Amino acid sequence: MADDIQQSRANAFRNLHEAGTFVLPNAWDPISAAVIAEAGAQVIATTSAAVAWALGRTDGQQLTRDEVVAQVGRIVAAVDVPVTADIEGGYGPAPEDVAATVAAVIGVGAVGVNLEDSTAPGGPLFDRAAQRDRLRAARTAAAEAGLPELVINARTDVYLFGIGAPEDRFDEVLARAVDYAEAGADSLFVPGLLDVPTLTDLAGKSPLPVNVMTGPGAPSVPDLAAAGVRRISLGPALAQAAYGQAAAAARELLDTGTYGALAGALDFGAVEALLR
């Protein structure tokens, strides 16, 4: 059952959704989480893609529930800020699968979850009634685990996977927002949507605060905040940047025998200190 510290972190995370805009840099292992927390993040989100990469697998529910829960637990243990877990589609299609996953990540200290409405990478999506049932199962599981404050970020992949005709996507997302709110979701995650006028319209009409996923070329945080976006995450972009830097440093070392790409690296002792 959730303890007082976990409940306090869940409430702190929940309160961030009430006003303004906040950013959740995404971690994939304990040291990335510790680095992000040291940088000043109020909350840390995991990223399913980079967690899978770190464990030698591709994204798209290629990990087992137990593997994901174990990694979430390691990340929670590495930081003193709230952690919300990317649980992909819940590691099974049925409401009971979602409930088991939610209970498990609460058991290792998470205070929020992302739950997707895709049946598989690329779609199709669960119909709205089925996804309502899955979200209700998540909410019930949280209450039964002693954490009714759990923040449920309902992800819809309408824009990410180009589901339906382009002119119908906004209305479909809005209809899902209404249904997901009724089922107990706390926020709406719409990866693949970064058009500022469309986001402004959605933020003004959605019953749930809107979360977007950004990266290189995306509108700035101030621009997204002005559009009414409440919550901004990066998905696997930080991991991709870290891997890109490692690749550049390795190429330089092998090609020229020099170390310029290693400039700015964290000191060995500083890294060690983050995990003490």
Side-chain angles (χ1 to χ4, degrees):
M1 296 292 285
D3 60 18
D4 290 346
I5 292 174
Q6 193 173 2
Q7 289 169 344
S8 176
R9 289 179 180 175
N11 281 321
F13 183 31
R14 177 171 291 276
N15 289 341
L16 289 174
H17 295 75
E18 296 301 317
T21 301
F22 67 100
V23 180
L24 297 92
N26 299 77
W28 59 96
D29 63 7
I31 192 62
S32 63
V35 167
I36 292 165
E38 180 74 10
Q42 296 174 280
V43 182
I44 288 171
T46 69
T47 158
S48 67
V51 166
W53 298 338
L55 297 178
R57 233 72 61 77
T58 56
D59 193 22
Q61 299 201 90
Q62 299 303 305
L63 297 174
T64 66
R65 177 188 293 121
D66 288 346
E67 287 173 319
V68 170
V69 170
Q71 192 74 335
V72 170
R74 295 181 193 106
I75 288 169
V76 170
V79 296
D80 294 324
V81 298
V83 173
T84 181
D86 183 347
I87 61 169
E88 303 189 77
Y91 303 102
E96 294 79 8
D97 298 317
V98 173
T101 301
V102 167
V105 295
I106 291 173
V108 295
V111 299
V113 295
N114 283 1
L115 180 64
E116 301 169 7
D117 59 10
S118 295
T119 63
L125 308 187
F126 287 99
D127 64 43
R128 298 206 301 268
Q131 190 65 1
R132 282 199 308 269
D133 289 344
R134 286 158 43 83
L135 287 163
R136 289 191 187 105
R139 179 55 66 205
T140 299
E144 291 176 350
L147 194 68
E149 305 91 345
L150 181 83
V151 176
I152 299 176
N153 194 31
R155 173 174 145 173
T156 182
D157 287 336
V158 171
Y159 281 97
L160 184 64
F161 297 139
I163 303 296
E167 64 271 17
D168 296 333
R169 289 173 192 161
F170 182 89
D171 288 343
E172 178 64 20
V173 167
L174 190 57
R176 286 179 178 267
V178 171
D179 282 0
Y180 296 173
E182 185 275 330
D186 299 294
S187 56
L188 179 73
F189 185 22
V190 195
L193 176 60
L194 286 170
D195 178 71
V196 169
T198 305
L199 283 169
T200 302
D201 196 12
L202 181 62
K205 294 175 178 175
S206 171
L208 295 171
V210 173
N211 179 183
V212 299
M213 181 171 69
T214 62
S220 68
V221 170
D223 286 344
L224 291 169
V229 172
R230 188 66 51 79
R231 166 174 166 160
I232 299 168
S233 51
L234 295 174
L238 280 180
Q240 290 170 266
Y243 296 147
Q245 189 65 19
R251 281 194 299 268
E252 181 189 0
L253 177 64
L254 294 169
D255 291 346
T256 69
T258 55
Y259 314 102
L262 294 175
L266 287 179
D267 175 80
F268 180 89
V271 175
E272 288 278 298
L274 289 171
L275 295 178
R276 291 194 183 108

